[in-house]
Amino acid sequence: MEYNLLRFQQPTLNHHYKSTERGHVYQESNIKYVVKAVSKPSFDYEPPTSNSKNMLESIKNFLAAFYWFCYPYTMVGRTLSTISACLIAVEKSSDISPLFFIGLLQALVPYTFLDVYINGVNQLSDLEIDKINKPHLPLASGQLSFTTGFIIAALSLILSFWLSWIIGSWPLIWSIVSCFTLWTAYSINVPFLRWKRHPLLAAMCIFLSFTIISPVTFFLHMQTFVFKRPVVFPRSLVFLIVFMSFYSVGIALFKDIPDIEGDKKFGIHSFSARFGQKQVFWICVWGFETAFGVALLAGATSSCLWIKIATGLGHAALASILWYQAKYVDLTSKASVRSFYMLIWKLLFTSYFLIPLIR
């Protein structure tokens, strides 16, 4: 309520002057004052909604940045390779039990955190290079700060080691420690390390991780720790190692093809920087095709007819898709090269489902 003091002069006011020696004196009489209360509309308080919207938007942006910080396609590949290696330990249908899935989770969860660390430390070490080669990544684009990235990577590493120790599987612990050592040496820029600057050492890291450490340790984890069986090396595991020998080398060489500009500027002597993108590209393609050829032959030697058909036709189809798409890659376009690189991973993902069938 707001009060206004209004003065109203009545029409019957009497005014008169009287004369004195001091002058004229004005006298006013019959003056009335009326107080009038005037009501004005009140405004109720409305809580702002912008704060909650901003908070939700911030959370959404952080999760999107974290998603790309983790390199999701490598994590999917790691997950499928783990499942594939664990399935090799399955000898009969009754092995697919709650015990199997518990053992699978025991392998997947610590390695998921390790993957976050591996991808994170690589981006932290390559921050300036990624501003040229991969400006869309969260650290290079500024979506995540360096400090935030460091904290995420450090916490992920701690969780990975802690979980593997709590689980108590020695094949799993050995795998975590080995991959941590290799990929840290691959990425961080300290004397005698930063192995990615040297093409042979870089290829060795990828080869050992993809071909030896991951499949062998995941299989041994399931075989010895979960199923409590003696150590054996079945035909499927040997085939997986041979297959990944060719495929991992192809990935190791191919991943640097779109990054040649930044690598040259920062003194990373990749094979693409040394020998040219086109030559390395076709070496990689032949490596992938060789891997699929090995898979086709391994499936053909199986004693089971349906396995021969499934693995043979499956890997033949994958090889055909790869060859067809390779002919249309524009090496001068980063988008075209990266699209083909993602195709390489998708074909590998599919092959992970076919490999355990070979017995």
Side-chain angles (χ1 to χ4, degrees):
M1 301 290 288
E2 182 178 311
Y3 294 89
N4 293 331
L5 184 63
L6 303 179
R7 177 177 174 176
F8 295 90
Q9 187 173 0
Q10 302 299 323
T12 58
L13 293 178
N14 294 322
H15 300 273
H16 65 273
Y17 294 86
K18 65 179 179 179
S19 177
T20 65
E21 294 179 354
R22 298 177 183 176
H24 297 283
V25 177
Y26 175 76
Q27 291 185 341
E28 183 175 339
S29 63
N30 296 331
I31 302 297
K32 295 182 179 180
Y33 294 90
V34 179
V35 177
K36 182 179 180 182
V38 180
S39 64
K40 290 189 176 181
S42 62
F43 297 92
D44 294 332
Y45 174 77
E46 296 181 1
T49 59
S50 59
N51 289 338
S52 59
K53 288 183 178 179
N54 290 339
M55 183 178 295
L56 290 175
E57 190 67 22
S58 298
I59 294 173
K60 180 181 177 181
N61 292 337
F62 174 79
L63 291 177
F66 178 75
Y67 175 81
W68 289 110
F69 182 78
C70 296
Y71 273 14
Y73 65 89
T74 61
M75 296 183 71
V76 172
R78 177 80 69 182
T79 299
L80 293 179
S81 70
T82 304
I83 296 172
S84 182
C86 289
L87 284 173
I88 292 175
V90 173
E91 297 178 355
K92 50 187 181 294
S93 58
S94 60
D95 287 340
I96 305 296
S97 62
L99 181 64
F100 171 83
F101 290 105
I102 291 172
L104 181 61
L105 286 175
Q106 288 173 339
L108 285 176
V109 176
Y111 246 100
T112 298
F113 287 111
L114 184 65
D115 278 336
V116 175
Y117 163 77
I118 291 172
N119 295 325
V121 76
N122 186 56
Q123 291 183 59
L124 290 168
S125 302
D126 284 356
L127 181 57
E128 296 303 321
I129 301 177
D130 286 342
K131 289 179 180 179
I132 299 174
N133 292 337
K134 302 166 185 172
H136 62 281
L137 292 179
L139 288 179
S141 64
Q143 291 175 290
L144 289 179
S145 67
F146 185 91
T147 302
T148 302
F150 179 85
I151 292 172
I152 292 173
L155 289 177
S156 298
L157 179 63
I158 292 170
L159 286 171
S160 177
F161 275 105
W162 178 72
L163 287 171
S164 62
W165 183 259
I166 291 297
I167 292 167
S169 170
W170 281 107
L172 188 60
I173 293 172
W174 182 82
S175 179
I176 294 286
V177 172
S178 300
C179 281
F180 159 73
T181 304
L182 278 177
W183 288 106
T184 301
Y186 174 87
S187 296
I188 63 172
N189 193 8
V190 298
F192 305 109
L193 298 182
R194 187 71 169 166
W195 290 355
K196 69 186 304 177
R197 289 180 298 191
H198 310 285
L200 288 177
L201 289 175
M204 182 193 71
C205 287
I206 296 174
F207 176 84
L208 290 176
S209 179
F210 281 59
T211 305
I212 306 297
I213 297 174
S214 293
V216 173
T217 56
F218 292 148
F219 168 78
L220 291 177
H221 163 72
M222 188 63 67
Q223 177 77 4
T224 62
F225 182 77
V226 178
F227 291 147
K228 309 297 183 184
R229 294 170 180 164
V231 176
V232 294
F233 289 92
R235 183 169 175 267
S236 299
L237 181 61
V238 174
F239 157 68
L240 177 58
I241 292 173
V242 175
F243 174 86
M244 288 306 302
S245 297
F246 292 101
Y247 214 95
S248 63
V249 171
I251 290 176
L253 298 180
F254 194 97
K255 71 178 188 61
D256 294 324
I257 291 177
D259 299 337
I260 188 171
E261 180 184 354
D263 289 350
K264 285 183 176 180
K265 183 175 180 179
F266 287 89
I268 296 179
H269 306 293
S270 64
F271 283 106
S272 296
R274 288 186 174 189
F275 304 111
Q277 292 172 303
K278 185 175 182 180
Q279 186 173 351
V280 173
F281 173 81
W282 285 107
I283 290 174
C284 294
V285 171
W286 280 109
F288 298 138
E289 294 290 358
T290 303
F292 289 132
V294 169
L296 196 153
L297 291 175
T301 59
S302 175
S303 58
C304 181
L305 179 61
W306 74 267
I307 289 179
K308 289 182 179 181
I309 296 173
T311 57
L313 291 178
H315 284 105
L318 297 179
S320 300
I321 293 171
L322 178 75
W323 185 259
Y324 177 79
Q325 294 294 331
K327 295 186 294 183
Y328 297 99
V329 175
D330 180 8
L331 294 177
T332 62
S333 169
K334 283 190 175 183
S336 178
V337 175
R338 291 191 188 282
S339 176
F340 188 77
Y341 183 60
M342 296 310 300
L343 174 66
I344 291 168
W345 282 96
K346 292 174 183 177
L347 297 178
L348 178 61
F349 297 164
T350 306
S351 189
Y352 278 140
F353 288 103
L354 297 173
I355 289 172
L357 298 177
I358 299 175
R359 301 286 173 169

